[in-house]
């Protein structure tokens, strides 16, 4: 058999065999033989399909004049507020907020991620992702698993329950008792409640204590190789919003924390 | 070839096709992006709705050349026949106000996706995202309004890359993009939300990529046609028709250069943008002298929501006295 005949007749069979072997290995290699004891599932930290840890900076390319500076009293564009919310926002009094020790009203979870800020994201433990901001020095704790809220007074950052969302596996299934291999792509879903009432925007647009925040955190790799977090945010608050306030934000990864610059909450700036 | 050789070769090829099909299915998990996706103007309402103020370049990483070209812009340029359609390049997806329709086109024999399509609207052309691995054309190939786009799945995210689109605009107040610009987009579906994050690179007018993110909501009632009416240039302003007049502003003569800066109590240099204005530390430059405007003067209630039941009449009358009745219910 010459080379041409070999390529024409044998090569497809060999290539097919190699590919099918590869698939078998991919699907079944982790399945133990017999009735071996079940392996415990990986912790949320170990199972994370994306790595959110590190320092990230918000890049303010949208809604610039609402985010980089404090807008005028009465400037509520883009937020679908109710007439009741309008009345409250029109009474915005930052001096009164400061005197009452409520400078952080615009740093609650529904507004925090829109601030010009850096994020420092770390694992507090195997089940808790910690998100710190230098703007306002806030800390969000995103709890995975069967976490139960401790109760007590509502807080600016509320109670956040987190879960990984991964693509539905296709093309085969693992044997019983074998945990699925950790996914390599996916996103983080976060649902936050029990919030202390605050402001969606620095100029007093309110959200109520009954507001609910749902977020989806994705990571993209850009054409230049940089990593970006994209957070899709949905604020649900029938008391002050005519419909859900849906936005998206982006943060670029930084090599280290050298630009981290903590600033306290401010009611005016 | 003998009959037995033919059989062996056929079986081998059959196994190869089966194996490739299986491995491809496992490698490319994907989510269905098909549907009508409605706009929610919960951010950048003015930018995407009524349009940005003249000389508001805040948050844009433009270089000196981009700034100079933007300052020479006058809206009358769009009345020239040959320039009436310049806005409708691919980045208009995320800077314009319109919903999008997406669907997949597959090979009738294999069922494999050949392309995803994003329908045009009004004047923007249909965007075809080739999924079959074909290469981008060479640099010298013609540039079109839609450009040339390829895509691939990374898990449930569709990543796309667009080249070969015409020179146009990055912001609807004349900030330019060149025909060297490219667009990378990431389509991420979460239930009924579709988040589209776009990065525009332009070696001619930008110092770093411009990143814009937009959220759409699945809405079967949003009426979008797959193919738009074409952008048809027409003589809209008689004085611009046929006499060779080219609308322009000379360097240093833009009459609106301080309009946005004055309205919002910002320094002129801030309004003129640049990458520096995109980062948190830029606030330190503003903090000492900045005071918010006394009151909102227009678009104050902005977007009230798609299904708004209450029109904020008091806000409208306060914020936009000149055209309150006309804009009632929208602004």
């Amino acid at each position: 058999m010459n080379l041409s005949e070999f390529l024409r007749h044998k090569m497809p069979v060999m290539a097919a065999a190699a590919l099918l072997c590869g698939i078998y290995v991919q699907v079944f290699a982790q399945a133990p033989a017999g009735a071996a004891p079940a392996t415990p599932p990986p912790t949320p930290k170990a199972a994370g399909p994306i790595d959110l840890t590190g320092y990230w900076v918000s890049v303010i390319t949208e809604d610039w004049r609402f985010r980089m500076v404090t807008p005028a009293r009465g400037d509520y564009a883009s937020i679908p507020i109710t007439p009741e919310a309008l009345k409250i926002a029109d009474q915005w009094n930052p001096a009164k907020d400061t005197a009452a020790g409520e400078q952080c009203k615009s740093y609650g979870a529904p507004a925090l991620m829109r601030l010009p800020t850096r994020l420092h994201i770390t694992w507090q433990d195997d089940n808790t992702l910690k998100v710190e901001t230098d703007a306002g020095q806030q800390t969000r704790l995103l709890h995975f698993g069967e976490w139960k809220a401790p109760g007590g007074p509502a807080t600016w950052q509320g109670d956040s329950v987190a879960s990984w969302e991964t693509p539905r596996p296709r093309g085969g299934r693992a044997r019983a008792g074998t945990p699925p291999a950790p996914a390599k792509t996916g996103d983080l879903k976060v649902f936050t409640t029990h919030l202390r009432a605050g402001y969606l925007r620095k100029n007093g647009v309110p959200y109520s204590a009954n507001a609910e925040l749902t977020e989806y955190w994705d990571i993209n790799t850009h054409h230049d190789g940089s990593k970006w977090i994209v957070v899709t945010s949905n604020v649900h608050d029938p008391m002050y919003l005519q419909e859900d306030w849906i936005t998206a934000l982006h943060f670029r990864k930084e090599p280290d924390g050298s630009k981290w610059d903590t600033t306290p909450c401010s009611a005016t700036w | 070839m003998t009959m037995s050789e033919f059989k062996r070769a056929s079986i081998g090829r059959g196994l190869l096709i089966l194996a490739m099909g299986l491995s491809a299915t496992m490698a490319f998990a994907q989510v269905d992006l098909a549907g009508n996706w409605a706009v929610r103007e919960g951010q950048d309402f003015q930018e995407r709705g009524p349009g940005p103020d003249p000389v508001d370049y805040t948050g844009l990483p433009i270089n000196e050349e981009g700034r100079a070209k933007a300052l020479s812009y006058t809206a009358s340029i769009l009345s020239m026949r040959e320039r009436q359609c310049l806005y409708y390049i691919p980045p208009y997806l995320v800077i314009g106000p319109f919903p999008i329709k997406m669907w997949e086109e597959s090979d009738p024999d294999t069922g494999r996706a050949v392309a995803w399509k994003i329908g045009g609207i009004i004047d923007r052309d249909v965007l075809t995202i080739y999924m079959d691995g074909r290469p981008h054309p060479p640099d010298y190939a013609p540039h079109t309004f839609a450009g040339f786009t390829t895509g691939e799945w990374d898990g449930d995210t569709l990543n796309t890359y667009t080249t070969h689109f015409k020179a146009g605009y990055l912001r609807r107040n004349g900030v330019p993009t060149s025909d060297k610009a490219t667009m990378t987009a990431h389509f991420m579906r979460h239930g009924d939300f579709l988040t589209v994050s776009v990065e525009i690179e332009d070696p001619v007018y930008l110092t770093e990529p411009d990143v814009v993110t937009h959220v759409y909501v699945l809405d079967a009632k949003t009426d979008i046609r797959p193919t738009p009416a074409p952008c048809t240039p027409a003589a809209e302003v008689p004085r611009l028709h046929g006499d060779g007049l080219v609308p322009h502003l000379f360097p240093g003569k833009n009459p609106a250069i301080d309009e946005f800066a004055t309205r919002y109590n910002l320094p002129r240099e801030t309004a003129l943008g640049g990458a520096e204005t995109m980062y948190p530390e830029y606030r330190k430059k503003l903090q000492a002298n900045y005071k918010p405007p006394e009151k909102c003067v227009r678009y104050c209630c902005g977007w009230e929501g798609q299904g708004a039941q209450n029109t904020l009449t008091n806000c409208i009358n306060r914020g936009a006295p000149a055209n309150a009745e006309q804009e009632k219910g929208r602004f």
Side-chain angles (χ1 to χ4, degrees):
Chain A
M1 181 182 285
N2 62 29
L3 180 59
S4 160
E5 286 174 326
F6 174 80
L7 290 174
R8 198 165 62 238
H9 298 151
K10 301 289 185 190
M11 201 61 179
V13 178
M14 291 172 67
L19 268 171
L20 285 169
C21 284
I23 291 163
Y24 180 86
V25 167
Q26 190 174 344
V27 174
F28 296 111
Q30 295 181 17
T39 310
T43 63
K45 180 181 177 181
I50 53 175
D51 181 11
L52 293 160
T53 61
Y55 288 93
W56 306 81
V57 61
S58 59
V59 181
I60 313 294
T61 55
E62 300 169 284
D63 271 352
W64 192 96
R65 67 184 178 82
F66 298 120
R67 297 171 65 190
M68 288 292 273
V69 294
T70 303
R73 180 189 305 279
D75 198 345
Y76 312 134
S78 286
I79 305 180
I81 58 175
T82 62
E84 184 64 23
L86 178 68
K87 289 178 194 168
I88 294 171
D90 281 350
Q91 301 303 313
W92 174 55
N93 186 336
K96 189 177 172 185
D97 286 340
T98 302
E102 296 206 316
Q103 304 94 315
C104 292
K105 285 187 92 167
S106 59
Y107 295 76
L112 183 68
M113 307 300 285
R114 294 191 70 74
L115 297 174
T117 187
R118 284 183 164 77
L119 309 178
H120 183 210
I121 304 179
T122 54
W123 284 96
Q124 179 170 281
D125 55 49
D126 282 348
N127 296 295
T128 312
L129 197 60
K130 182 164 74 172
V131 181
E132 298 170 280
T133 64
D134 60 359
Q137 297 168 285
Q138 299 295 301
T139 300
R140 299 183 65 187
L141 296 176
L142 314 181
H143 302 278
F144 289 78
E146 300 300 314
W147 180 77
K148 299 292 181 195
T155 60
W156 298 126
Q157 303 311 325
D159 296 336
S160 295
V161 177
S163 57
W164 295 118
E165 295 192 319
T166 55
R168 186 177 300 168
R170 299 183 182 198
R173 58 193 174 93
R175 289 180 181 170
T178 304
K184 293 178 180 170
T185 60
D187 64 86
L188 173 67
K189 181 178 181 180
V190 182
F191 183 60
T192 302
T193 56
H194 201 43
L195 289 157
R196 185 173 170 183
Y199 298 148
L200 293 174
R201 186 172 282 171
K202 186 75 80 177
N203 63 354
V205 178
Y207 64 84
S208 76
N210 294 321
E212 297 173 345
L213 171 66
T214 305
E215 298 166 287
Y216 301 92
W217 296 51
D218 289 90
I219 287 186
N220 299 145
T221 302
H222 280 199
H223 196 236
D224 62 4
S226 58
K227 298 277 187 188
W228 293 66
I229 289 177
V230 175
V231 181
T232 304
S233 166
N234 180 26
V235 181
H236 177 71
D237 185 6
M239 183 178 291
Y240 292 139
L241 295 175
Q242 298 204 39
E243 67 176 61
D244 291 359
W245 187 41
I246 304 163
T247 57
L249 305 154
H250 40 256
F251 300 82
R252 193 186 62 210
K253 189 160 193 177
E254 300 206 302
D256 52 44
S258 59
K259 294 184 177 176
W260 185 258
D261 183 19
T262 55
T263 53
C265 291
S266 168
T268 56
W269 176 248
Chain B
M1 181 184 289
T2 65
M3 183 56 75
S4 73
E5 284 174 332
F6 175 78
K7 281 181 180 172
R8 272 204 309 275
S10 298
I11 291 168
R13 289 190 189 108
L15 284 171
L16 181 60
I17 289 168
L18 173 67
M20 288 174 70
L22 280 172
S23 63
T25 303
M26 295 174 69
F28 300 104
Q30 52 196 266
V31 68
D32 190 8
L33 301 177
N36 290 357
W37 297 96
V39 168
R40 294 292 183 270
E41 295 185 69
Q43 62 193 100
D44 266 352
F45 157 76
Q46 184 183 343
E47 172 92 18
R48 292 173 181 142
D53 288 297
V55 195
D56 169 12
Y57 311 148
T58 52
L60 285 177
I62 52 175
N63 61 17
E64 280 301 323
E65 192 164 349
R67 187 174 294 110
K69 188 168 173 65
L71 285 169
S72 73
Y73 172 85
T74 163
S76 294
I77 286 174
L78 299 179
S79 295
M80 300 175 70
R81 284 188 176 190
E82 64 271 36
R83 300 190 180 190
Q84 281 172 9
C85 306
L86 287 187
Y87 271 109
Y88 308 117
I89 55 176
Y92 198 75
L93 267 178
V94 286
I95 66 170
F98 300 116
I100 60 175
K101 183 183 192 74
M102 293 188 74
W103 69 96
E104 183 188 78
E105 293 197 345
S106 51
D107 185 305
D109 293 328
T110 66
R112 298 291 300 272
V114 175
W116 274 93
K117 293 218 169 191
I118 300 177
I121 186 127
I122 312 295
D123 289 325
R124 185 179 51 70
D125 200 359
V126 174
L127 190 75
T128 300
I129 304 165
Y130 292 107
M131 303 295 294
D132 54 3
R134 69 184 69 188
H136 281 249
D139 288 347
Y140 55 78
H143 285 50
T144 64
F145 279 105
F148 185 91
T149 305
T150 54
E152 59 181 23
W153 290 98
D154 179 14
D156 282 349
T157 299
L158 175 62
N159 297 321
T160 69
Y161 184 55
T162 305
T163 59
H164 292 81
F165 54 88
K166 287 179 180 286
Y169 294 104
L170 192 57
R171 182 170 281 180
R172 292 161 61 206
N173 57 6
V175 176
T177 56
S178 77
D179 60 3
K180 305 284 187 195
T182 60
M183 182 177 94
T184 305
H186 311 276
F187 295 79
M188 298 156 279
R189 180 174 182 170
H190 302 292
D192 286 348
F193 297 152
L194 177 65
T195 303
V196 184
S197 186
V198 161
E199 51 170 311
I200 296 138
E201 296 173 283
D202 186 350
V204 179
Y205 295 130
L206 299 180
T207 58
E208 56 186 86
D210 180 40
V211 179
V212 182
T213 313
H214 201 10
V215 186
Y216 298 88
V217 178
L218 190 64
D219 184 353
K221 292 182 179 176
T222 296
D223 183 22
I224 324 172
R225 300 281 174 260
T227 307
C231 178
T232 308
E236 295 176 333
V237 181
R239 70 182 175 83
L240 292 176
H241 179 50
D243 61 1
L245 180 66
V246 178
H248 64 280
L249 297 171
F250 280 120
K253 301 291 184 187
N254 189 319
I257 192 167
D258 289 321
E259 184 177 317
F260 170 80
T262 302
R263 179 172 293 140
Y264 295 107
N265 288 351
L266 295 166
R268 178 190 285 186
E269 67 174 32
T270 301
L272 293 176
E276 185 186 23
T277 64
M278 304 192 304
Y279 295 101
E281 48 270 33
Y282 188 73
R283 279 163 47 88
K284 288 187 174 175
K285 280 197 168 182
L286 301 172
Q287 187 168 9
N289 297 314
Y290 176 77
K291 287 183 180 174
E294 281 296 313
K295 62 174 186 176
C296 177
V297 294
R298 63 177 186 161
Y299 306 137
C300 301
C301 288
W303 179 68
E304 292 180 23
Q306 201 80 358
Q309 299 297 310
N310 300 290
T311 299
L312 306 180
T313 308
N314 292 337
C315 182
I316 291 163
N317 289 340
R318 176 187 56 197
N323 53 4
E325 287 306 312
Q326 181 187 351
E327 296 187 339
K328 186 176 180 180
R330 175 160 175 79
F331 302 124

